Each structure stands twice: as C-alpha cells, then as structure tokens.
Amino acid sequence: MVFSSIVSSPRGTLSPRQALKLANVYLENACHADDADIALVLCHDTEVSLYQAKKAVKRAEDQYMIKEIATAYIDLGNLLERRGHGNEAKVSYKKAGKLGVNVQDQDQLAKTSRPSSIMGSFKGASPLTGDSQDSGLMPSLPWRRLKPHRNIVTMPAHIFAENVRPPVIECKLPGADERLSNTLQLAGCLYLLQPNRSPDDILEPAAYNWLQVINKDADEQIRLRTMATEVIRAYKRDEMKDANVVSEVVCLAPVLNKDAFQDLLSEFYSGIDNSGLLKFHQLEGLAQLIQSGDQEHLSSDDLVKILGLLSNRLTDTHQQSSEHMHKLTLAVSHVLDAMADTKVKDLDREKLHEPLSAYLSELKSNSDPYLVYQAAYAFQALLWVPDDETTWQAAMRHTGKIIQGVSGLVSAVKGLDLNKFIEGLGDIQEGVAGAAKVVEVIKNTYDDVTALAQSGQGFLGALKEGFSFERKRDWYSALRGADALIRDGELATFRKLVCEVPCRMDVAFQWGVCQRLGEIAANPMWDANIRQNAIEFLGEMYRNDDTWGGQPSVKQWILNILMQLASSSRTGAQLMSNSTAETLLRELESSGDDKKQVLYRSCRDNGPTPYPLKVPKPETTAPSLLDRVQNRPDVEGNIRSLRKKRTVERGNAVYIAPQAKSSLQATDGTRFPLMEKVKEFLNSDQKVFLLIGDSGSGKSTFNKELEYALWQSYKNKTGRIPLHINLPAIDKPEHDMIAKQLRRTEFTEPQIREMKHYRKFILICDGYDESQQTYNLYMSNRLNQVGEWDAQMVISCRTEYLGADYRDRFQPGDRNQQSGPSMFQEAVLTPFSLDQVQDYIQQYVTLHQPLWRTDDYKQALKLIPSLKDLMKNPFLMALSLEVLPRMVDPGLHLSAARVTRVGLYDHFVEQWLERGKKRLGEKDLSPQARAAFESLSDEGFAVNGTEYLKKLAVAIYKEQDGHPIVEYSRLIDGASWKAEFFTGEDKQLLREACPLTRSGNQHRFVHRSLLEYGLAHAVFDPQDRRMRSTSKLVTGRRGSESSTLSFEIKSGLEDQATALEMEPDVNSPLVWRNFVNDHSLLQFLEERVQQEPVFKDQLLAYIEHSKKDKKWRQAAANAITILVRAGVQFIGTDLQGIRIPGADLSYGVFDSAQLQNADLRKANLRGVWLRQTNLSRAQMTGVQFGELPYLTEAHEVRSCAYSADGKSLVVGLFNGNINIYSTSSWERTRTWSGHSRIVMHVVYSPKGDRIASVGEDTTVRLWDTDTGSQIHLLKGHSHYVYGAAFSPQGDLIASASGDNSIRIWDVFTGDCRKILYGHSTEVLCIAYSPSGNRVVSGGADSTVRLWNVETGECSRILSGHSDYVWEVAYSPNGGQVVSAGRDNMVRLWDMETGACLFISAGHTSTINCVAYSPNGDQVASASLDGTVRLWDVETGSCRHTLTGHVAGVLVVTYSPNGDQVASGGYDKTLRLWNISADASHLVSSGHSRDVRCIDYSPTAHQIASGSTDKTIRLWDVETGACRRILSGHTDPVFGVSYSPKGDLLASAGSNDRSVRLWKTVSGECQHILTGHRDRVNDVAFSHEGDTVASASNDGIVRLWDAATGDCRKILRGHTVGVLEVLYAPGGKQVVTRGKDKIVRVWDIESGEWSRILEGHTDWSGRIAFSPQGDQLASIGEDISIKLWDVTTGECRFILIGHTAWIMSVVYSVNGRLLASGGRDKIVRLWDVSSGECRALVEHFPGFVNCVAWCASSDANSLSLVTGCQDGSVLKWQVIEEHDQCHVRLLWSASKGALTVTGASIQGARGLTLPNKMLLKQRGVAGEPEHLFRETSKKIITMASVVSKLKDSLSPDGLGVEQSEQLE
C-alpha cells in the first residue's frame, strides 16, 4: 500500500527517501520480470526515480542518503549487465562513482554501511547499545539477495519498515586551539586525521573543510593527539575510575596507536586484576576497548592473559549471589563477544578455553534461568574466540576458489545467509575433493549447518542435555549478526533476519532477540517511533504462539522487559516508552488462554527481575578527564623561555665531539662517538646513562652540547624536555631534584605539577662528584615510578670519585636482581686523539685570533715533550692554548720547554687576573671603587687576586667541606664568614676579576679544578717569599745524588738545622684536611713537589715533626701521600717514629727504610716496596696490603670449588688427593684419597652434602661431605674424565670424557641414565643450565654444544673457537654461556639466539678455566700465562688482571657471595683474591709485562727498556721518570741498542720481523727496516753509529745503513736461528750466538765468519765483550758463566753460583766487574780478574731478564740497571771499597707488586693474622717467635679474611710464561 501510493504520486512531490523507495520497487520488479523489454522499461523508471532522489538529496546535503543512492546505481548496473546491456551498465556505474562509490566497492556496498555523520563513521565513536559490536567478524550481509526459506514468518509492515540512520551525538568540530567540549568530539577529530581512514567514508562539507584546514596545521594535530594521550594518563591516575570515566576513555579506542592502546589495555587489565571488589563497568569498558580498537593492536598473548583473568574473577565470585554472578557473567559475555570479533590468529584453544569453559558449564544447572542463559551465551562466545584448529587451516591453504568458498562460508555463518553458506560448502567440495583433512572440515561444517535448522527445543531442557555448552550453535551467530545490523541502523534487515533465520524458534535465540529489542526501546537516543516499534515487536512475539512458539521462559522474559520499561524514568524521551509499555502490558493481560494469563499475573505480582536492561548513558557535556587535561596550566611559554636562555648561554664555544669507551677497563682502541651512543640510549628503554671522566675531560662541555642538541630537536607540547641540572647548585638533590631545578628556572608550582603528571624529561645531571653525593639519585627521586617524574637520566661523575661498587650509586634497582635487560649504561670519556687536538686548535685560532697561529701551536705540540699528553685533556688544552704564547720563552727552543698541569693553571690564573684588571680599569667605577682599584694595583693586582682566590678556596673547603657553590645574601650572610669575600669595594673588584661565575646569589669557580688549584695554592704558593726562605734539606729523592733520605743535617749546614727547628705552618690545609683521597688536588701538589724542592722540604718537615708531636700526624699523612705520588722514594730513610695514620703509601718505594715504632694505622700499603725495611714495633692496626695470603699444597692444584654456603673449599690435586678447607680458618679439615691419577675436576652438590670428583683414572666418584666416605664409584668412561657438573636439583651428575661422550648419572643409584654423543673428539668440559633441562659442553673439536637432557639431543652447536675449548660456564640466569680454551680467547654466547656477544682477548696463553660471578656481571678466566683476568660481562672489557702466580693457572672459582676469587695452578699454590677491594693510584708504573732488554745511552741521560708489552720506555737516568713510551711494534721487543751519540735507538720487534730506528729526543720512528723472514731476536749499533746489525730466527744477520735504512750486507752461516748479535771492540767484527750452540765471530768487511767458540752444552744465554775487548763472557743452560780469552779462544774462568737459568751477563764500564742475573731472582757481581763473586743483590720481585751498566756522575761508584719479569726497571748504586762491594737501590720503576722480602716485623703491633701470614709468605724476616706457634697443626690460619681485608687487594707480581715463550 505504501509503495503504491508512492508510485501513483508525481515524482516532483516525493521526498528523497520516497524517491529512493520508488526506485527500489522498480528495480525489484525488473529483477523478476520475465519479459526483457518490460525489464528494460522498469530499469529506465528506476533511473528516473534515482535521478529525482539524487537531485533532492544534494540540496539537503544528506551524505547518508547519497551513499544509499550510489548503492542503488550499482545494483541497477549489475542488473543491466546481466540483461546484456553493458553500455547502460557502465553509465550506471559511472553515476555511482560520481557519488563517491566505485564499482570495485560492490561487496562493501552490499553491506549498506552508511555513515550518517562524522561521529557515526568509525567504530565505537558513539555509544549506541550495550552490545554495540564491530562487524569485523560478522558483517552485515546483502539481505535483499537472500533466497526465501521455508517457515518464514511475517511481521506487521510498519514495525521496522526501513533501515534508518543509527543514533549519533552531533558535535561541532573545533577550531585550532579551541577548547573541546567532550572526549567524543576529540575522538571524531582524530578519526578524521587518521591516514588509514576508511575509503568508504563520505565527508560532509563542514568536516571536509575542517580537515583541509587542520591538515596544514601541524601544531594543532600534535595538540589533539597529545590531548588523547593525556586523557589516558589522566585515566590512569584517576583512583575511582567510575563508569563515566571508563566510558569516556574507551571512546578513544578506535583512534589510538598500538602503544597507547596497549597502555590502556594494560591499565584495564591491572584495574580488574587488582581491585578487591570487582567493578562491572570496567569489564564493560574492557569489552568495548577490545571491540572498537584496531585489531592489529591485539595479540594472542593479550587474549590468553585476559581469559585467565576472567577465569580467576569468576572463580572468586563462585559463592556469591545470582545477581552478582549474573552481572559478572554478562560483562564477561561482552568481553568474549569482543574477542570473538577479533582477527587474532594462531591461538591455542586449550589455553584460551580451558580456564573459563569448566566454570561456565557448572552454571547450566543453576536454578536461575537468566543466569543460565547468560552463561550459555558466554560459553558460545568463548567457542567463537579464534582458535588454531589445524583442519580449518588446511582448507584455507588451498586454491583461490577454496579461499573464495571459505570466505563465503565464514560470511554466511556470521550473517546466517544459509543459501550462501551452502554455496560456500559447494565451492570447498569442488576444490578439495579427496583431501582427508578437508573432508573432515566439510563434514563438521555441514553438521553445523544441519544444526542451524534445529528449532523449537525447550530452553532449560536443552541446557540440561548440554545444549550450547559442548559445541558451537547457530543462535549465537545469528544474535551476533543482529548486533551488527542494529549498530548500523539496519532495522528492516534485522527484522528480516529474525523472521527468516532457521533458529528462529530456538529459545536462546528468542531470549537474545527480546533482550536487544528491550534495549532499543530503553535507549532514548533512538527515534521515538523506533522505540515504539521495538515494544510492538515484543508484543507480537508474546501474542503469536503459532509463529514464535509458546515457551513460557520467553514469555516471562518479555513481560519482565516490558515491566522494566514501564517502571523506568518518566522524564523526557523516556516518557513515550513508559506509556507504550504500560499500554501493551494492559493489552496482554487478557491475551491467550488461561495458562498464559496465569503466567502473566505471576510475573506482574513478582515484579521485574533484578537484572536490568543495559542502556548506554549519553555522553556528558563536560567529561571529567578531558576537563582535567584542558584545565591544566600552560607551560609551553616558560619552556620556550628556558630553551632560549639555555641556547644563548651556550654561546659560540669551541666544541669537538668527544670519544668514549664502554668502561674504565676498556682500551682506548674500542672508542666510539659519545653523542651517537647517548642518542641511542635516549631512543631505548634504558633509564640511566653514566658519563665518567677525569677532571677536565669535557664532561660538562659535553653535557651542555647535549642539552643544546636536544633543545634544537625539541617538539612543542609533546617532546621530552631537556633539563640541565647543576647538581652542586641544588640543595639536597637526592629529594625532589627536578622540582627544585624547575623552581630555580621560575616555573610555578601548578606548572611543576602539570609537568610532573604530563611531560617527559631528559635529565642532564652534571657534577655528581662536586655535589659530594652518595645517594642513587635515580632511586631516591623515585623516577619513573607510579605518580612520579617520567625521565631518562644522563649523569656525569669524575673517575676518581668512583669506588669499587660505583654502579650501585647510579643504576636503577638492584643490579643483582635484574633479570631483564639492563636499564643502565655507562661510558668513559677518552683523552683527545691527535686529530681531535688539531681540530680544536684550528677552531680555537679561527674563533679567538690569539697571538700564535695554528702552525705555532702544532710546532709546540710536536716539540714540547709533555704538552701532547696535557692537551689530550680538553680543559687543559683550552688552558694551554690560552697561556702558551706567554708561557714559553721566545728565546728558548721548544724542545727544552717543560709544561705541566700546575704550570698551566699558574699562567691561566695570572692571565685571567690581568684581563680582569684591564677590564676594571676601563670601567666607569665609582670614586670609592676607583680608589680601591688603585690601591689593589699599587700592591700588585695579580698578587691580591691570587691571595683572594686562595683564601676563598680555603674557606669553601673549611666552611662548606668543599661544596663548590657559595650562596651569599647580604641580609642573611652579612655577619658570616662569607662577608670577608663579598663585602667591601676591594672584595667586589677582586671577585669580578677572579675566575668566578655568578648566577643570582650563587657564586662558584668557572671550573671545579680551579677550586682545587686554589686550595693547593694555599698549601704551597711558589710566590710566597717566606716559604722560599726555608732552607733546603738535603734529602734523597728519586734521581738525587744522595740515596739516604734520612732527615739528617749535614755538616756545614747549621742554618738548615735552625730552619728545621722551626715548626711548620699550623694553619696549612695539610693540618686540618685529609687529602689522601682527593686525587685531583693531590695531582697539583705532586707536580709542585717535582718542580719546587723547597715544597718537598716542607712536606718532609711535617713528617719529621710528627715524630715529636701527634698534632702533626694529619699533615704528615698528607705530606707522605703527596711525596709518594710525586715519585719520591724513601730508600734507606730514617722514618723511625713517624705518625702517618691513614696515609696512602701504595706503590711507594721504602727500600731499606727505617720504620721502627712508626704509626701506620689504616695506612694503604698496596703494592708497596718494603724490601729489607725495618718495621719493628710499628703500629700497623688496620693496614691494607690489598692481598690475601695463599695456601700452599704439596702438588699442583688442578681444580677447586666452594660449597654453596661458602664455608668450605675443596681442592683437587695432581697426585689424586682431594683436600677440604674451612674458609673461616683456612684450616685443612680433611684429605681424601681414591683417585689413582690427577683429579681433573671437583664440584659440590647444590645442598653441599656431596662432592663429585673426576680424574685421569676414568672414574667419577661421589663423596659424603659429613663422613668423608665414598658413596659411589661410577665407571663407564673409557678415557680421562675432564669435567663434571651437578644438576640444580642435585639428583643428576653430568660428566665429560676423552672418550668423546657425556654421561648423565643418577646421584642416588649410581646408574648411568643417558649417554650423549656428538663431539668428534674429546669432551673437555660440561656445565648444567640453572633450569636443569640443558647441559653445555666444550670439546677438542673447538665447538660448544648445547644438549637437551631429557631427549639427549644436541640442540645447538656454537662455533667460533679455533682450538680446544677447555671450559664452559652458564650465567646465573641461564641466558648466556661463557667459553674459553687454547685459542687464548674468552667468548660469551647468547643462549636464545646462539650469537657470540663478545670475544675478549688479553691472555697470551691457553685459558684453562672460566667462571661466572654469582651476580652474573663478571667472568673470571685462568690462563697458562700465569694471570687471572676479570671480565665485565656487559662490555667484554677486562676489569682487573690478578698477578701473583709464578706458573700457569689451571683453575679459578668465585666464592658464593662473589667477594673472593680462588685460583690455583702449577706453582702448587691456591691464591685468594679479594676482588671487591678498590685499586689505588699507581704513580710510577713500569712495563705491564716482563722487561726483555735494557741499554743505556752513551750520553748518560737515558735508559731504554724493551718489553713483551710491545713498547719501549725511555727512562731518565737520574730520576727514574719515564720520559717517553715508544709504540709501534706489534709484538714483544727483544732487543734495544743506542747509537754512539745517543740520538738514535734501534729496536728488534720479534714476531713482527721488523727493526725500527727511533729519534730519542722526539720519539719519532725514523725507519722501519724489513727483510727478515722470521722473528728478530736482537739488534746492535756499530761503534761508528752508521750501521745496525740484526739477528733473526731465519738464521741470517743483516747489516743496515742507519741513515738510509737500506740493507748493506747479509751474514749467512748459522744453520738455525740467530739469537744474539753484538759488535766486537774495535768495530771490525760482529759476534753472533745461535740456536746451533755456536758463537761465531764475523769479519764485517768480508762478511765471512773467522772463528767459532764452543764449550757450553747449550748456548742459551747472552754473551758480552769486556770494554777492552780482550775477554768474552758467555752463559748456557748449565747455569755457568764462562770467561773467554778473545785472542787465544781459551776459557779463563767458569763462574758458578746461580741456581737457575742465567738470563743476562754484562761487563761494567771500567771492566772490573761482571754482572749476571737470572731466574733465581738474584743479581751477582763477579770480579773479572779473580772469578770471585763480590756481591749479591737478592729479593727481586721476578726473574732478572736483563742487566746493564751505565755511567755514574760519582767517580767512586758505578750504576747498574736491571729489568725484571714483573715489568720493573731498577737502578742500583755499586760502591767498591777495598775488597768490599756495596749495592743499594737508587730508584725503582715498577708495576707495583707488594715486595717485603727481607723486611722485619719484629714486635709490630696490630697486624691481623692474615696479614702476618701474607708477609711471611712474601719473605719477611725477624718476625716474632710466637707468630706461627701452631703451624705444625695448621697449614694456614686466616680468621675473618673477607671481613677484614674486603677493601684491600692488589696484584703481587706477574705470572711467568712457559719456557718456550721465554725463549
């Protein structure tokens, strides 16, 4: 009737909607017309009607209608194309395209999805109904194409007669920077801005215009996106999280990126999980969030996690009321609905379904039908959550037709288009016939189709039969399709679905339909007519039992809904629904038979159910979250001001990008660009970046440059704010540091709160050391904790301020408990390279235009010896460039200039004051200021300025304990100590002229080092004439002629005696401040000592006065610390009774010193040289030697292990024995015998009740630790057993054997459970993973293999080692494995990926063992090179090298607490290292490895030494100072030789096969001589200096032209390698020694050998000519020295006395003495004329590899230089008196090993027993008799070793290389 009226009406009078309906009537008739002509006419009528509708709708600008018209044009085109009218069809398609829809979108158009407004065009933008769902899984279908089904019912035509626009909230789009009215408006804006917005969206003109404007406004886009982020943050901070807040934040879900979505999802999850009382609105919000968010943002893990949470919460409510459980189950249903709509794939059905299915199944027997229904619905939703059924996936992998079929199938199931569904099945059958798996899919699916036709079952009865609780049912799919239709306003299609779906009679389906109709009727956002239709629909279902069945539960549910509607609020739009529902209820009262009326009355009497209909609340006009965001104070203006200010303050400074290394232990060769590394950190999830550097290394400069770079890239409103914090300027930065800094920069409290809640920061914290912090600022400020500041931190600190565990002060959290990626990173600034120095010079000259040009600076850099090292420090370089032009005497050659750090500061301060004076002189001063200025100038402005600087520095240290910033307020501080420096015209002038800066009321030196310089200047001022008047004491200092530093007053120096009687300055900072740990300050003072002898005398005076009065003991401790650091050596010095408690004497030289009765309490004696020192009766309480005593065994130590509780240590020996020690007393408690050969490995069980041992006897033995009995003897291996490991549970043992196998043994039965094969050769090591399910092994096949213990399979092979893998170890967390072996490399492997994380090289011989520290941050390795190295796991760098073993180290292990390392090896000792002890300052270091050769310069100014550390060092003959280090050789240096003039030095580079010629003045390499084909062993200059001879393993001697570098001659004759070469006196002959045991004498002119010397059984040692040339000395393996007559060739003497190999022999300059040194650590001086030994020099710290005589300025004495295996170079004075020969040490340049041989500790007080034992082991003499009374019963006693010596550890010498390496 409706359509006939439309057709009969004139088209011009029709509304757009009526015209469109008329077009559809024509189109449907055309579809069914049998006559083609009639059909074509009807198509024409359709076209006319569509034109009319289009014309009308364009005037109304109804985008919703426009899309429907376009759909009709597409349908018309389809019909015309089927009828054969292709051209007409194209025209129709073209018209649809003009309306914004292309023909390619036909499938999408079939859904008739018509966004009616901006707010209705995206998912979740408007809250429509409680079940408003995404159609992603169940899209709307083209219901117009449904084929008729049997049993289709009808509904009155006016009920849902047409599809309508869904309800929306219209919102105005805001202008730029305009305040938003609600969050939905924000969501709409962001949807429009999405780049991937749906192409189907047709924008209204207003929205289109808005988008065009905003697309050009980047700031507005940022504002809107930031606002969404801040709304989420506001939600997270909201404590209540009520329904309104949840509804508000969820509407943003469709427009969130993945990170924001996951953040919000996590917040919902946590809120539900952590809430005590479950909030159902949060569950509903979670459902809408899952439903409306981008499905790409969800992962399978999210769904599993959420389902687990829901299961837990359902279980928690098991015993609660039905109402409560119904609410929860309803909310769960909505969440599951949302999850069923997702596209997440590859989910594990069992993991997803199991937690919930069992619980929901239990509810089917509940008596409450509403709860049962909701449980059934939730269960069906659960079944539809995506799973990983493999059969379904199998079908999906086939042809496109199958995919098309499956697509149709899925669509049909979801939309219940039964015809299309069956067609889809047909496609599958056609494509996969014969495939078994797919047939199963078809069968199961067809069964489901059959189930779709079932209907009419009783609801509760079906439940009892398991209905809906065991498999998927069709009614759930139908209801989900209905949800999609209702959401899109397709109500006519919804009606069609309900009336035609096969499951229409299903009770569960009807319940669901009634619920949805009730919610439409209750939703005031729907049109009143729509809500009335919904109520009428319910009435139809109640009345028509024939059509809808007579299920009482459905009727009851309908009545319940109507009663709820009738009793709801009677205001506004709801009033109509109330009235309609009441009217219908009255009508139904008399409907039906008696039973139905009884049901009706019963329902009315009981009232509505407590389960209300879910009706969405309309969006509030003022959403609380958005209000909070928009009401926040504006901070951007202040941020812009801060940015401008900080950018201006940076200025136009010289900046060179610094380089850094990964740790303090890393080498400079591993440098990287620091800025790049910091930016990587800022882009990571790490939180703290520690920047370490020495004073002046450029930390603050870099921090400012970093801040500048970050400000340049700062983005308004969203960017992270770079905040530079000068820590010393903040009061107590350990608390609220950021807020304090922001207040200083004039931010208000509301702004600070705003930034704390909404902004992110990059903190650049400068000067941690200057602020004298001990707090972990990251932790104390609670950064990144809930409700706290969101920030990353870059923090800088001086190197010398760091302790052993410095990382604990900086890293987030507890590093020992971190299991995930580290949140901490560090970098150490490296000195400037030469290229960086030159770049800096170029920039400096360009910017500042100084007196010198660039070339002048470069020339100075080249010629001034000390300048290059100084200028590697950025601050010192800046000082150098400024003061060098005035510092260097123009008439002085640059090479003669000496530039020091303290000298640079002297000139810098002087120049700064002069400039200040000039500036003040040009300034318009007041009369008072002018008078003060002239007075200061008359007295000496620079002098006054220096005095002011000095006094201010002293006051800062005295009054503020060195805190560098002085805050001065005239009102507050007028009467304080500060007034002296800040009041008065003269003080103001001096303050302005001094190198000080001012910020407000804060004053500080321009650099921290200037404050330290000022204090050092107060200690000693070179310009102080009173100080200079102090008479000089004649005391020994390194290099002085006198070696008796005894404080004795020499005759004839009475004035000096008088001066000595005068007391030192009692006001000196030395007296009242402890300088011992202030390394930067000490550096200034030690340089003063080296420059100013008078200062050294003053320091010695403090020490001398401490003998008499204890008030000087602090000053004496400071003084001796300074002197030791300055290299002053106390050799033979009388120091009896000195008081120096707490002094740092580390690495000092006190050879033969007298320290009786000295107060050495708490002194640091690490690495000190105390050879033959008298310490009798000295007070030594608390002294720290930095080492622990070692245990001595009778046999080599092959293995050792700590028990889990750390109370015992087991040691396996070469003789097959096993020793057990108690770690409390280090007493041997038990010895076990059983193994017949070497014990290769021992290990404790996890509980400590058993020990496993394996050995060369092929057995594995289990021992009981309580009884000492052998529990099991496990046999089965057929070769050596090298390693064993307990499983973490202690029930299994894995053993590794040379029979190529690994065996797994049962600890309790002794049975072999499994044998693992895979290694191709011997298996050398084994380790269990912490989880116990894997073992890792290493073998002689160079591989590391990972095994599955359960299956015995090798899961991974790690390749990389080039030789045997001797040891493997798992990290404590199981994430890494470390391995090492015969290739000298340590490798760290990632167990997840198999990647090698780093390779650490450093050992020079086989690595036998590696071990992980208990906290996993460190790895220890033991090597045949005699050392133990500790490696940093994060960086791969070597932290420490522990030396002390005198032979190869075979085993290393950590104590359980990680404080100790135990190592053992071939030297039969077990050494204990306290690795937590801090290292001290080593002032004068020798070579890092053994010294192999020494020569002295003929000019007597220099000594050269070559070492296996690949360097050559040039030493000052008098002082022992290292003047230059020559680097270039790539292998050990075996020979050095000076030219006769001393201007050149030749060196032999062993395996690099080269000879190098060096200029001794500049250190420049003049020539590199190559030609030898094997190792170069020796080198020698001719007497004329024009030729250099070299000897090589290639059997050849080459003679080189020193000027040109050409090879002049080749001497051939030796059949094997030539070991030594030297020129005979006279210069016409060359003498060589070879491996063929022959010494040959060569004629240089002819190149032929003229004589052979034979006699030794093996010419293994050196040879030497006497100065007169008449005698030759040679040494051999027979430990003898033979003296030969050169003329006759006869052996005149055989010198016997050495007890080990003699390594070197040399004649004295006068030819009377012969010196020899060797492996017995003794130097012997022989009388050449008699062959007698005149003197012995004993107690060397290592093998004496080389000796050399040098000229002496004292005619009565000789000088001897020795080079040792520990890297030390020592100079000795030899005095011949009649028949006596006295030798004493002049100076020592050593690596710093503890040396106490020959020292006496008789009566020393306060020494701990471990320290006494240590000294005894090191060779002390004259110890008290009672020292070791109980040694007959105890091997070693070391009570409380760890607690008493925790902070004291140092290497005690180098290990030795094997004999073949020494050759």
Side-chain angles (χ1 to χ4, degrees), residues 162-173:
E162 60 183 2
N163 295 330
V164 299
R165 178 183 296 186
V168 296
I169 299 175
E170 298 290 347
C171 294
K172 176 187 175 184
L173 292 169

Side-chain angles (χ1 to χ4, degrees), residues 887-1060:
M887 187 176 181
V888 176
D889 187 345
L892 183 68
H893 191 272
L894 286 175
S895 61
R898 185 164 181 243
V899 179
T900 63
R901 180 172 180 259
V902 71
L904 287 175
Y905 279 80
D906 286 340
H907 285 273
F908 174 77
V909 170
E910 183 181 353
Q911 183 166 309
W912 187 290
L913 290 170
E914 288 179 359
R915 289 179 179 174
K917 175 186 176 183
K918 181 179 179 181
R919 185 176 63 255
L920 291 172
E922 297 171 350
K923 194 174 180 181
D924 185 14
L925 301 174
S926 67
Q928 297 86 350
R930 176 61 61 183
F933 175 75
E934 291 175 356
S935 176
L936 290 171
S937 300
D938 291 341
E939 297 171 2
F941 193 89
V943 173
N944 279 295
T946 304
E947 192 68 17
Y948 177 88
L949 180 148
K950 226 172 27 173
K951 290 182 177 180
L952 178 58
V954 168
I956 288 174
Y957 274 95
K958 203 164 191 176
E959 303 294 341
Q960 298 189 163
D961 196 28
H963 187 73
I965 294 180
V966 180
E967 294 189 20
Y968 176 74
S969 168
R970 182 174 298 178
L971 295 176
I972 299 174
D973 302 308
S976 71
W977 65 271
K978 301 175 186 178
E980 179 185 352
F981 303 97
F982 296 94
T983 58
E985 296 290 345
D986 55 342
K987 298 300 188 295
Q988 181 176 345
L989 294 171
L990 291 174
R991 189 176 69 247
E992 290 184 23
C994 277
L996 301 170
T997 62
R998 176 179 179 178
S999 177
N1001 67 337
Q1002 293 186 339
H1003 305 263
R1004 65 176 299 170
F1005 285 89
V1006 295
H1007 194 269
R1008 166 81 187 192
S1009 59
L1010 283 164
L1011 171 62
E1012 294 158 340
Y1013 166 81
L1015 187 64
H1017 213 65
V1019 173
F1020 178 79
D1021 186 348
Q1023 305 301 322
D1024 191 326
R1025 298 303 174 186
R1026 183 181 63 82
M1027 287 186 177
R1028 284 191 172 274
S1029 66
T1030 303
S1031 300
K1032 181 186 296 185
L1033 294 174
V1034 180
T1035 56
R1037 121 181 223 224
R1038 178 187 288 184
S1040 66
E1041 293 184 3
S1042 172
S1043 62
T1044 57
L1045 187 59
S1046 62
F1047 302 105
E1048 294 177 358
I1049 304 168
K1050 293 192 175 182
S1051 58
L1053 299 176
E1054 291 81 8
D1055 56 335
Q1056 294 179 350
T1058 303
L1060 186 60

Side-chain angles (χ1 to χ4, degrees), residues 674-702:
L674 177 59
M675 186 66 78
E676 292 181 14
K677 182 65 68 174
V678 172
K679 288 184 177 179
E680 287 178 15
F681 159 77
L682 294 176
N683 291 326
S684 73
D685 294 328
Q686 293 181 312
K687 299 303 180 185
V688 178
F689 189 101
L690 171 61
L691 178 59
I692 306 170
D694 294 334
S695 175
S697 59
K699 301 181 296 298
S700 297
T701 301
F702 173 79

Side-chain angles (χ1 to χ4, degrees), residues 407-426:
S407 298
L409 170 67
V410 176
S411 177
V413 170
K414 295 170 185 175
L416 302 180
D417 185 345
L418 197 56
N419 292 331
K420 187 174 181 181
F421 178 73
I422 295 174
E423 290 172 7
L425 283 178

Side-chain angles (χ1 to χ4, degrees), residues 777-789:
L777 296 181
Y778 182 92
M779 298 301 295
S780 65
N781 281 275
R782 298 175 54 82
L783 299 182
N784 298 303
Q785 297 188 32
V786 177
E788 299 296 337
W789 296 92

Side-chain angles (χ1 to χ4, degrees), residues 1198-1505:
R1198 186 61 184 83
S1199 56
C1200 64
Y1202 281 93
S1203 62
D1205 59 9
K1207 294 181 179 180
S1208 60
L1209 181 77
V1210 60
V1211 180
L1213 303 175
F1214 265 57
N1215 68 343
N1217 284 353
I1218 298 170
N1219 289 338
I1220 311 293
Y1221 290 90
S1222 168
T1223 58
S1224 61
S1225 63
W1226 290 108
E1227 202 178 324
R1228 185 190 300 168
T1229 59
R1230 185 175 282 123
T1231 297
W1232 297 335
S1233 299
H1235 288 283
S1236 59
R1237 301 183 67 177
I1238 299 173
V1239 179
M1240 300 297 292
H1241 197 82
V1242 289
V1243 60
Y1244 270 97
S1245 66
K1247 295 181 180 179
D1249 57 342
R1250 289 178 172 83
I1251 290 175
S1253 62
V1254 300
E1256 285 191 355
D1257 58 5
T1258 74
T1259 66
V1260 179
R1261 298 171 188 261
L1262 282 180
W1263 309 83
D1264 186 295
T1265 56
D1266 290 332
T1267 65
S1269 61
Q1270 182 175 292
I1271 302 172
H1272 290 298
L1273 174 61
L1274 311 179
K1275 294 184 176 181
H1277 286 295
S1278 59
H1279 200 276
Y1280 298 169
V1281 185
Y1282 290 103
F1286 273 100
S1287 66
Q1289 297 75 28
D1291 58 338
L1292 299 174
I1293 293 177
S1295 59
S1297 171
D1299 61 10
N1300 305 0
S1301 75
I1302 299 166
R1303 289 178 179 255
I1304 309 296
W1305 309 86
D1306 189 298
V1307 169
F1308 304 107
T1309 66
D1311 297 334
C1312 180
R1313 287 193 179 180
K1314 201 177 295 306
I1315 303 177
L1316 313 180
Y1317 288 106
H1319 284 282
S1320 59
T1321 54
E1322 296 172 296
V1323 188
L1324 303 176
C1325 50
I1326 192 78
Y1328 252 103
S1329 68
S1331 63
N1333 60 352
R1334 292 181 178 181
V1335 293
V1336 64
S1337 62
D1341 58 4
S1342 307
T1343 67
V1344 176
R1345 294 175 184 255
L1346 195 64
W1347 307 84
N1348 185 304
V1349 175
E1350 186 66 29
T1351 65
E1353 296 178 353
C1354 178
S1355 58
R1356 178 169 285 150
I1357 300 175
L1358 308 177
S1359 299
H1361 285 285
S1362 59
D1363 212 326
Y1364 288 10
V1365 179
W1366 275 114
E1367 190 64 288
V1368 292
Y1370 259 103
S1371 64
N1373 64 9
Q1376 295 89 32
V1377 161
V1378 65
S1379 61
R1382 207 158 72 174
D1383 60 2
N1384 309 351
M1385 298 293 181
V1386 176
R1387 290 177 177 264
L1388 187 69
W1389 309 87
D1390 185 287
M1391 284 296 93
E1392 183 175 347
T1393 65
C1396 183
L1397 301 178
F1398 66 69
I1399 304 170
S1400 295
H1403 285 293
T1404 59
S1405 190
T1406 297
I1407 302 173
N1408 292 294
C1409 188
V1410 286
Y1412 248 104
S1413 64
N1415 62 17
D1417 67 337
Q1418 200 176 75
V1419 166
S1421 59
S1423 170
L1424 285 181
D1425 64 10
T1427 67
V1428 173
R1429 287 179 179 256
L1430 306 181
W1431 308 90
D1432 188 295
V1433 169
E1434 291 186 11
T1435 64
S1437 58
C1438 181
R1439 287 187 182 178
H1440 300 289
T1441 300
L1442 309 179
T1443 59
H1445 285 281
V1446 295
V1449 190
L1450 299 176
V1451 62
V1452 64
T1453 185
Y1454 281 90
S1455 64
N1457 62 8
D1459 286 345
Q1460 272 186 2
V1461 163
S1463 61
Y1466 284 118
D1467 61 0
K1468 303 178 184 179
T1469 67
L1470 188 74
R1471 295 186 179 260
L1472 306 171
W1473 314 91
N1474 189 341
I1475 61 173
S1476 63
D1478 191 15
S1480 299
H1481 174 72
L1482 177 57
V1483 179
S1484 182
S1485 171
H1487 286 281
S1488 61
R1489 298 193 63 194
D1490 55 333
V1491 179
R1492 300 304 300 273
C1493 50
I1494 284 182
D1495 194 20
Y1496 72 93
S1497 170
T1499 61
H1501 296 312
Q1502 212 175 62
I1503 295 170
S1505 61

